[in-house]
Amino acid sequence: MSAFVRKKSLFAVFSLLFLNVFGVAEIGWWADETTHIFQAGSTYQSKTSFLPYSFSFQSQYELDKKQFKLKNGINIGKDAFDVFIKANYTPSIYSGVYFGATGTVHILIYNDSFIDIDILSGFVFLLNFPKHFSFETDFNYFTKTSYIKFIPGPLSSTGVAFSMLFTLKIPAIMDIHLKLASYSDYYYMIFFSPLFSLGIDVPLSEIITFCADYSVKFTDLFTFSAYFDSYEARTFVRIKI
């Protein structure tokens, strides 16, 4: 059997497997229903070498169409503020199983001293069983560009970023979140400076939820110079319409 015939045979086999998997999967590309989520709260950040403030106020809006989610927010602290916008498109492969692409743009502006621009793009995987638990993870290519007042030209660096979020759901009582990540909505460090987070969501009504989380951050965790960087405590209210 010639090499050409073997390649055609292998291509045919993999094509049949691919079509069989997706034929069973019944992929959901788009959902008609839309949920609007508004969120506002405050954050206390302990002393850190990175962020230029301790207290900040945050607000966010999220458009949720199940397979497609668009989220943006602003964080305002003393002499600084940052904004981000994030989009996920995750077609449902099976009931409760989603896989797709994610992208984030974040901008931090500190007085007139420097500007950070962070761009992430990658893949996201989600397991969601509303009565029990959910698990979400993403892996991104990460570009950071910094413009510093007294340094000519931008400073650029690249790397990777990831997050893992596990949520235990206790219906009508609370959701409990556990997170390990190298970034968050307003925190973008060059790999590997992870944060560990524990949070709760407590429903107050059908549309209003009280939320709180506590995070600890480290720098260079897997080196001999690893040290505790800071902690962060947040409280906020979420309104879902």
Side-chain angles (χ1 to χ4, degrees), residues 4-219:
F4 177 73
V5 173
R6 287 197 299 269
K7 288 180 180 179
K8 287 187 67 176
S9 300
L10 286 173
F11 178 77
V13 169
F14 281 113
S15 296
L16 288 172
L17 288 173
F18 179 84
L19 292 172
N20 183 61
V21 168
F22 279 86
V24 174
E26 297 182 357
I27 296 175
W29 298 103
W30 196 261
D32 292 330
E33 68 176 279
T34 300
T35 302
H36 303 277
I37 303 170
F38 302 89
Q39 179 177 303
S42 61
T43 298
Y44 174 74
Q45 173 81 40
S46 70
K47 185 178 180 181
T48 172
S49 58
F50 176 65
L51 293 175
Y53 50 77
S54 294
F55 288 97
S56 64
F57 298 92
Q58 301 174 355
S59 65
Q60 292 185 18
Y61 165 73
E62 181 177 347
L63 173 72
D64 186 348
K65 294 182 69 68
K66 288 190 176 180
Q67 286 91 345
F68 177 74
K69 295 182 180 181
L70 178 66
K71 181 168 69 171
N72 72 286
I74 183 169
N75 181 50
I76 302 173
K78 182 181 179 182
D79 298 325
F81 73 92
D82 45 341
V83 297
F84 80 94
I85 183 168
K86 180 173 186 175
N88 284 4
Y89 179 59
T90 52
S92 53
I93 302 173
Y94 298 98
S95 177
V97 182
Y98 303 81
F99 178 77
T102 180
T104 304
V105 177
H106 168 258
I107 301 173
L108 168 65
I109 300 175
Y110 177 48
N111 208 342
D112 61 349
S113 299
F114 70 82
I115 298 174
D116 267 354
I117 300 175
D118 304 300
I119 300 176
L120 285 71
S121 60
F123 299 97
V124 58
F125 174 75
L126 170 65
L127 289 174
N128 184 32
F129 301 98
K131 294 183 179 181
H132 304 288
F133 73 92
S134 68
F135 173 77
E136 182 174 348
T137 184
D138 62 61
F139 189 82
N140 298 270
Y141 178 73
F142 174 27
T143 300
K144 176 182 284 289
T145 304
S146 301
Y147 297 87
I148 302 173
K149 183 176 181 180
F150 300 106
I151 298 178
L155 302 176
S156 297
S157 55
T158 60
V160 295
F162 85 98
S163 71
M164 293 187 295
L165 175 64
F166 176 80
T167 300
L168 176 64
K169 303 182 179 185
I170 308 175
I173 299 177
M174 70 172 63
D175 290 352
I176 302 172
H177 308 283
L178 296 172
K179 185 176 185 178
L180 167 63
S182 65
Y183 75 98
S184 65
D185 291 339
Y186 305 104
Y187 177 81
Y188 298 80
M189 298 289 283
I190 296 300
F191 201 79
F192 185 73
S193 298
L195 63 89
F196 300 86
S197 180
L198 172 65
I200 59 170
D201 296 350
V202 180
L204 303 179
S205 70
E206 290 185 1
I207 65 170
I208 300 176
T209 303
F210 171 78
C211 309
D213 60 52
Y214 179 84
S215 302
V216 293
K217 302 171 183 177
F218 295 85
T219 59

